[in-house]
């Protein structure tokens, strides 16, 4: 049996579409309800919070997974990325008020000591370090857009889809930092030891993605 981990939430619909398009059984998955473990033919699907998916793969609970690269980049766990599906596209960005945006137009010293609200603590710290700026990170797991308005932070570092929530809170995208989409990832040991079993599934997903792109 091949085990595939999938993120619950807004990305699950895209994941099911990819698997179905690749010819994998998804009837039980589409009607999973509150079940977190779903058997469908020769496959078992594990449904978990997006942030847990890389861990499920790295620890061997799942052979494969579909998850956003924002999550894998933040987790820094040891998995192999096989494919960018091109689905669920959005981007990571620094956002803030127009007044704060001015600080990003000058020398990097203007960014020193910035208070940045984010749930992507590692990625934010790493990104600003690459720019040569030391910042103070405020770890918030929800409603980060409120932080600048409440005076808790100068700006935020977050994933952006349409930008509507930013606009509603008086914020603008200051600097786009990375493109985000659903990626097919795998457990390293599973690729080595079970490649003969996993190859058909991986090839089917790759073919569906390629055909959908062309």
């Amino acid at each position: 049996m091949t085990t595939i981990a999938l993120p619950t939430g807004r990305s699950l619909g895209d994941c099911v579409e990819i698997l179905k398009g690749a010819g994998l059984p998804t009837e039980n998955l589409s009607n999973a309800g509150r079940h977190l473990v779903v058997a469908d033919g020769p496959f078992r699907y594990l449904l978990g919070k997006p942030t847990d998916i890389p861990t499920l793969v790295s620890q061997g609970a799942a052979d494969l997974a579909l998850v956003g690269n924002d999550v894998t980049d933040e987790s820094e766990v040891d998995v192999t990325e096989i494919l960018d599906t091109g689905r669920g596209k959005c981007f990571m960005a620094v956002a803030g008020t127009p007044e704060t945006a001015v600080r990003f137009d000058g020398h990097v010293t203007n960014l020193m000591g910035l208070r940045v609200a984010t749930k992507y603590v590692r990625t934010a710290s790493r990104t600003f370090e690459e720019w040569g700026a030391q910042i103070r990170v405020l770890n918030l797991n929800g409603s980060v857009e409120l932080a600048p308005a409440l005076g808790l932070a100068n700006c935020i570092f977050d994933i952006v889809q349409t930008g509507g929530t930013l606009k509603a809170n008086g914020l603008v995208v200051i600097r786009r930092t990375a493109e985000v989409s659903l990626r097919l990832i795998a457990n390293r040991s599973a690729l080595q030891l079970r490649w003969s079993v996993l190859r058909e599934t991986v090839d089917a997903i790759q073919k569906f993605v390629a055909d959908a792109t062309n």
Side-chain angles (χ1 to χ4, degrees), residues 2 6-7 31-32 84:
T2 298
L6 304 171
N31 298 287
D84 180 354

Side-chain angles (χ1 to χ4, degrees), residues 54-128:
T55 301
L56 292 177
V57 175
S58 68
Q59 295 301 311
D63 302 304
L64 304 170
L66 289 167
V67 69
N69 58 297
D70 59 315
V71 177
T72 54
D73 289 347
E74 177 66 18
S75 68
E76 296 183 340
V77 298
D78 188 23
V79 296
T80 297
E81 181 179 311
I82 298 175
L83 174 69
D84 180 354
T85 71
R87 300 297 180 100
K89 286 186 176 181
C90 44
F91 59 92
M92 299 297 301
V94 178
T97 63
E99 292 76 19
T100 299
V102 174
R103 296 179 63 170
F104 285 77
D105 292 334
H107 194 270
V108 68
T109 54
N110 292 336
L111 306 182
M112 300 296 283
L114 274 178
R115 289 169 294 140
V116 182
T118 185
K119 68 177 181 179
Y120 298 97
V121 174
R122 291 173 177 166
T123 309
S125 298
R126 185 170 61 245
T127 299
F128 277 88

Side-chain angles (χ1 to χ4, degrees), residues 14 68 114-115 130 145 149 161 164 176 178 183:
D14 283 327
L114 274 178
R115 289 169 294 140
E130 290 172 354
E145 294 86 1
Q161 290 183 291
R176 192 164 172 153
R183 310 295 172 94

Side-chain angles (χ1 to χ4, degrees), residues 12 16 26-35 37-38 40 47:
L12 183 57
V16 174
T26 58
E27 183 177 353
N28 293 342
L29 179 61
S30 298
N31 298 287
R34 294 181 179 274
H35 294 285
V37 180
V38 180
D40 229 331
L47 304 179

